[in-house]
Amino acid sequence: MPHDLVRARAPLRLGFGGGSTDVSPYCDEHGGVVLNAAIDLFAHVSLERRTDGQVRLVAADREHFWNGAAESPLPTDEPLRLLKGVYNRFMADHAGGQAIPLTLTTYADCPPGSGLGTSSALVVAMVEAFRRFLDIEMTPHAVAALAYDIERRDLGLAGGHQDQYAAAFGGLNVMHFHDQDRVDVESVAVDPTVMKELEASLVLYFTGVSRESASIIEEQTANMRAQAPASLQALHDIKASAYAMRQALLAGDLPRFGELLDSGWAAKKLTASKMSSARIDEVYAEAKAFGAFGGKVSGAGGGGFMMFLIDPTKRDGLKRLLTNFGGAAQSARFTGAGAESWVVR
C-alpha cells in the first residue's frame, strides 16, 4: 500500500568543466568527462495519495495544472509532460500497469531554462518521491539512470547525462560517460577550506532569459555527427579542461581554476552558434574588465545563469555591476546531499 504523503528534493548543479561531452554521440565515441557540483537550490516534489480515482498534476511555480481520471498511461503531451512521463513509468514498472490516484506537485528554486539542470533535477526528485511512495529500493545510480531513461527514451527529450547524476548523487564529482549509457561517478575530495574559498569567490548571474536547450543541443549533436573539425576539437579541449579544473581545485589554485573556466567557455562557444549572444558577450567582457578570473554560461548556453569567479573582496562590486544589465546576481553554496525523500504520513 502506498504511503499517504511523501516529499522529496534534488539539488541543482553548477557544471564547471566538460559540459557537452556528456551528450551522444560524443560520449559514445570518445568518452565524456564532466566536473560539476551540487548547490543548495533544489527541485521539490510532493506526492499525496487520493481516494477519488483522479490524478492531479501541479507545477506550482509555473501555475500549470492537469486533472484527469487515474489511468495508465497518461497522455504524454503538454502541459506537464515530465510529470506524466514519470507517473507512467512507475505505474508500468511498479504498479502492474494499474493507475494509482494521486496528486503530484512540483516546484523548483530556479526557473526552467536556468542552465542549472532544473528539469532533470525535477525528474530525479520525482523518481525519488515515487521510490519512497511505493517503498522501492534504488541506489542513487539507479535513480539517475531511470530519470535519464524517462527523459531521453520515454519522452524523447534531447540532452546529456550529467544533470541526472549530479542531482542524484550531490557533492563535487568528476563524472565519466561511456557508450551504452555507462556512467561512473567519482567524488572529488577537495580541502574544505578550498571549497569555502570557492563559495566566497562565486557569483551567479541570472540573465533574465530562460532558454530552450534542445535547439542548442541538436546543433551540437549535428556538428558531432558531421565530425565538424572546429566543434570536435572544442569538445576535446572542453573534456581536457575538466581534468585540469579538478587538479586546480585539489591544489587550491582558484585563479588557475578561473582561467580554466575562461578558456573552457571560449571553447564551448565553438560547439554551437547559439551558445552565446551579443548581450552575453557584453556582460562577460564587463565582468572580466572588472576583475573576474573567468566564467561561463551554465548548462547548454544561450541564456539562463552565468557564473563568474572573482576575488571575494570584489564579489559585491561585481554583483552590482551585473545588475546594471538587468536580471539578478547572487551567491552560491555547495551541498553534499543528493536526492532525498521522506514520509510525512
Side-chain angles (χ1 to χ4, degrees):
M1 177 68 69
H3 296 287
D4 287 335
L5 177 60
V6 162
R7 301 198 205 280
R9 69 179 190 176
L12 311 187
R13 61 97 186 100
L14 291 178
F16 294 126
S20 299
T21 70
D22 62 316
V23 179
S24 296
Y26 183 87
C27 61
D28 303 322
E29 298 174 10
H30 305 282
V33 177
V34 169
L35 174 70
N36 60 31
I39 57 176
D40 66 345
L41 297 172
F42 297 89
H44 304 268
V45 173
S46 289
L47 195 54
E48 187 169 13
R49 189 161 62 93
R50 300 173 67 104
T51 58
D52 61 359
Q54 296 289 302
V55 170
R56 177 170 172 80
L57 308 178
V58 182
D61 49 353
R62 303 174 69 184
E63 298 185 337
H64 288 173
F65 308 91
W66 184 91
N67 296 280
E71 58 184 30
S72 182
L74 302 177
T76 54
D77 54 353
E78 295 292 357
L80 307 181
R81 190 180 182 191
L82 291 177
L83 282 66
K84 294 172 182 175
V86 176
Y87 178 88
N88 287 345
R89 186 61 175 266
F90 272 88
M91 295 306 101
D93 290 359
H94 300 289
Q98 299 297 311
I100 299 174
L102 54 81
T103 297
L104 173 60
T105 304
T106 67
Y107 61 97
D109 294 334
C110 283
S114 66
L116 301 179
T118 308
S119 295
S120 293
L122 186 62
V123 176
V124 166
M126 286 191 284
V127 169
E128 175 61 23
F130 271 101
R131 182 198 71 76
R132 178 74 64 179
F133 185 67
L134 297 173
D135 281 329
I136 303 164
E137 291 294 327
M138 296 176 68
T139 65
H141 199 288
V143 168
L146 178 55
Y148 175 86
D149 205 49
I150 291 170
E151 284 190 76
R152 304 291 174 250
R153 291 194 174 83
D154 293 359
L155 299 176
L157 301 173
H161 297 70
Q162 69 155 316
D163 295 348
Q164 295 86 356
Y165 288 84
F169 279 84
L172 174 70
N173 299 290
V174 168
M175 300 180 180
H176 303 264
F177 305 96
H178 313 282
D179 60 355
Q180 299 180 343
D181 298 329
R182 293 178 298 120
V183 180
D184 298 317
V185 179
E186 173 191 347
S187 178
V188 183
V190 173
D191 187 295
T193 301
V194 175
M195 294 304 292
K196 290 184 177 69
E197 184 71 3
L198 181 59
E199 278 186 351
S201 304
L202 274 172
V203 173
L204 296 185
Y205 170 63
F206 184 59
T207 62
V209 178
S210 294
R211 84 286 180 274
E212 173 55 57
S213 62
S215 62
I216 297 172
I217 293 169
E218 286 166 2
E219 182 184 352
Q220 288 178 323
T221 301
N223 288 337
M224 293 176 209
R225 294 191 190 284
Q227 298 288 302
S231 180
L232 186 59
Q233 184 57 53
L235 288 166
H236 292 334
D237 294 342
I238 289 166
K239 181 169 70 172
S241 76
Y243 290 117
M245 286 180 180
R246 176 179 61 180
Q247 291 309 115
L249 286 179
L250 290 172
D253 190 346
L254 293 188
R256 173 60 177 159
F257 186 81
E259 292 171 0
L260 290 163
L261 278 176
D262 186 53
S263 60
W265 171 237
K268 193 165 184 180
K269 288 194 289 185
L270 299 175
T271 65
S273 60
K274 296 179 182 178
M275 184 64 63
S276 190
S277 67
R279 181 166 177 267
I280 288 172
D281 289 343
E282 182 184 6
V283 171
Y284 194 90
E286 289 293 327
K288 286 293 298 293
F290 188 80
F293 301 133
K296 60 174 296 211
V297 175
S298 187
F305 273 88
M306 303 177 73
M307 75 175 87
F308 296 98
L309 200 69
I310 194 166
D311 185 293
T313 62
K314 296 182 177 181
R315 187 169 70 168
D316 280 351
L318 179 57
K319 287 181 181 179
R320 289 192 294 272
L321 171 69
L322 293 171
T323 55
N324 290 336
F325 292 92
Q330 65 186 76
S331 305
R333 295 180 64 86
F334 300 116
T335 179
E340 51 194 351
S341 58
W342 56 98
V343 175
V344 179
R345 63 176 188 269

